[in-house]
Amino acid sequence: MSSRRPMLLIGVLLAGAFVMVLNETVMSVALPPVMKDFGITASAGQWLTTIYMLVMAVVIPMSGFMLQRFSPRAVFALSLTLFTLGTALAALAPMFSALVLARVLQAAGTAVIMPLLTTTILNAVPEGRRGRMMGTIAVIMAVAPALGPTVSGALITAAGWRSVFVVVLPIAAVVLVVGTILVGAGGAGARVPFDVLSALLSTLAFGGLVFGLGSIGEAVNGHSLMPPLVPLLLGAVFLGLFIWRQLVLQRRASAFLDLRPFRSRPYWVGVALISVAMCSMFGAVILLPLFMQNVLGLSPAAAGLVVLPGGLLMGLAAPLVGALFDRVGARPLVIPGVLTVSAALLMLAFMTPDVPVWYIVVANLVLDLGLACMMTPLMTSALGSLEPELYPHGSAILNTLQQLAGAAGTALFVTIMSFGAAAAASGGAASAEAAAQGIHFAFVAAACASVVAVLLSFLVGGRTPAKTGAAHSRAGTGAAVDR
């Protein structure tokens, strides 16, 4: 392979990953027009974002097996084919259920591409240049979700919500064709064991829990398929069985997900705080566009532009925070970061129907700055506290819980908003005023919950062991499984 071919391949993979990650947040601004077209509630519509994160959380732990068992070309082709088919179905979806299925296909493809991208870089880029490349990926993965609402807002205003997928479709198709040619066929892979029972239990556990959380919001409006307590209890039972299965398999050194990383205090503290951060971020991502469009009357494009500066700030701050971490460790960055996130949530809780737009811009900037100070140090210190043989499992657990936390945060924020809006409407409040009151309750609850994160942040250690450098490159990419 020529020296230019690996760089071209990595460029194609980066383009594909950028488009895929961007699609995770495009539906936040598209939600109001989608709700109008299909006649659905906000609680039902939030599944377009929640299902994306949920499917990623289910598929990410399986991607490590796929990379070991199948050739890179086969894995890449599967990933981009799923994403391309999902994008085409979303553009043509005749009903809401078809749009949800399209998001499932898109998410399945996205979950597989991330570890493949990381593996390709580690194999193709010389060791002395890997850090720079990993840093580029970290910035891209931070900016793509931020651009999602802005890009989709502009397209929706110009040509409707389906145009978001129409524009992405040819890009995905080109990446599929070019990437399949460039990615080497490789070998067939090792015949590593795949524990079907663990995969089934994890799907039922996480699916039940997040479905139950989403159903609570639907129950407020009387549209839930079943009492929310049923999937929540079933999910909890299957989660217990999944954990028991992994503890049994650990004795044979064949766990689907090895749970020994939780023996490390820096790891479990980091995972807990990252989960809080993801809940806050994705909750704000879905509630702010609803507030700006349904309460303030802004267009989707304007709503996307309001949240853009915060996302760009997070992407720009990521490498600076990483450099500071190398000098001072995690604690001096994480504690101020958690306090900043808590302050931002409190600011958002004071939004009223006549709040100026600049106030929302500032509050979102404060939120994203706090998240930037938290994420890289927490991921690096968490993974850096593990023994090298636990890196794959620690990374898989961390990224899986990130997705689940985002899904749970989205569901919980919308649920609390639905309760608050219903209570305000029953008291005679107008539609916009009731929506504002519901969103106020959601952010108040989030600000109160963040107090626990503030207390937990004081358990974060200072400097990490010397092996942190290896973990830092893994954490910065957002890769799910490093093999």
Side-chain angles (χ1 to χ4, degrees), residues 14-374:
L14 282 171
F18 184 87
V19 171
M20 290 169 142
V21 174
L22 181 142
N23 264 267
E24 189 168 354
T25 55
V26 294
M27 294 309 299
S28 60
V29 175
L31 189 55
V34 168
M35 290 165 52
K36 181 178 179 181
D37 280 4
F38 290 118
I40 58 173
T41 64
S43 298
Q46 59 96 12
W47 277 99
L48 294 174
T49 299
T50 299
I51 199 68
Y52 201 100
M53 294 180 288
L54 176 59
V55 171
M56 288 188 68
V58 170
V59 176
I60 282 173
M62 304 179 189
S63 60
F65 163 81
M66 295 177 64
L67 286 173
Q68 287 184 307
R69 181 64 182 84
F70 303 104
S71 70
R73 177 175 291 171
V75 174
F76 177 84
L78 173 64
S79 172
L80 265 296
T81 298
L82 288 174
F83 183 81
T84 303
L85 288 175
T87 303
L89 178 59
L92 301 172
M95 60 187 69
F96 180 68
S97 58
L99 186 56
V100 173
L101 176 60
R103 295 290 282 171
V104 169
L105 294 174
Q106 285 186 318
T110 303
V112 176
I113 198 68
M114 294 308 301
L116 175 61
L117 173 59
T118 305
T119 302
T120 301
I121 289 176
L122 293 176
N123 290 332
V125 178
E127 186 175 354
R129 298 172 55 192
R130 287 177 188 168
R132 187 186 314 165
M133 186 62 68
M134 294 295 190
T136 302
I137 296 174
V139 173
I140 288 176
M141 294 311 149
V143 173
L147 288 177
T150 304
V151 172
S152 63
L155 290 172
I156 291 166
T157 301
W161 64 266
R162 293 180 189 273
S163 64
V164 174
F165 303 104
V166 172
V167 169
V168 169
L169 183 58
I171 299 175
V174 169
V175 172
L176 170 60
V177 174
V178 175
T180 302
I181 295 173
L182 291 175
V183 176
R191 291 191 173 275
V192 292
F194 179 75
D195 189 56
V196 177
L197 180 57
S198 292
L200 178 62
L201 289 175
S202 67
T203 302
L204 293 174
F206 301 135
L209 290 173
V210 178
F211 180 79
L213 288 169
S215 297
I216 295 174
E218 283 289 272
V220 174
N221 300 305
H223 301 301
S224 60
L225 297 176
M226 65 180 71
L229 189 60
V230 174
L232 285 173
L233 288 177
L234 288 175
V237 170
F238 284 118
L239 179 61
L241 292 173
F242 175 75
I243 293 173
W244 169 79
R245 176 66 175 171
Q246 304 321 298
L247 294 176
V248 171
L249 292 176
Q250 279 177 202
R251 300 170 192 165
R252 312 174 202 163
S254 58
F256 186 75
L257 269 185
D258 196 318
L259 302 180
R260 284 180 294 167
F262 285 109
R263 296 177 182 175
S264 166
R265 192 182 83 168
Y267 183 84
W268 69 257
V269 170
V271 166
L273 287 171
I274 289 171
S275 298
V276 172
M278 292 298 290
C279 281
S280 302
M281 183 172 69
F282 279 93
V285 160
I286 196 168
L287 284 190
L288 283 179
L290 287 174
F291 181 88
M292 288 184 284
Q293 293 179 70
N294 295 342
V295 178
L296 300 185
L298 299 182
S299 68
L305 289 173
V306 169
V307 298
L308 176 61
L312 294 178
L313 175 62
M314 189 188 303
L316 293 173
L320 299 177
V321 171
L324 283 173
F325 170 81
D326 291 334
R327 294 183 178 183
V328 302
R331 186 183 178 93
L333 294 169
V334 172
I335 293 177
V338 175
L339 289 171
T340 302
V341 169
S342 184
L345 292 172
L346 193 60
M347 291 178 65
L348 292 171
F350 283 99
M351 292 189 304
T352 61
D354 57 352
V355 66
V357 173
W358 65 260
Y359 181 89
I360 301 177
V361 174
V362 171
N364 193 55
L365 281 169
V366 174
L367 176 64
D368 287 336
L369 178 61
L371 291 171
C373 290
M374 291 176 61

Side-chain angles (χ1 to χ4, degrees), residues 349 413 416-417 419-421 423-424 434-447:
F413 271 57
I416 296 173
M417 179 197 73
F419 275 117
Q437 190 69 14
I439 293 172
H440 165 74
F441 283 140
F443 280 121
V444 166

Side-chain angles (χ1 to χ4, degrees), residues 416-461:
I416 296 173
M417 179 197 73
S418 298
F419 275 117
S426 64
S431 176
E433 184 180 349
Q437 190 69 14
I439 293 172
H440 165 74
F441 283 140
F443 280 121
V444 166
C448 292
S450 69
V451 175
V452 177
V454 171
L455 297 175
L456 194 60
S457 69
F458 287 92
L459 295 177
V460 174

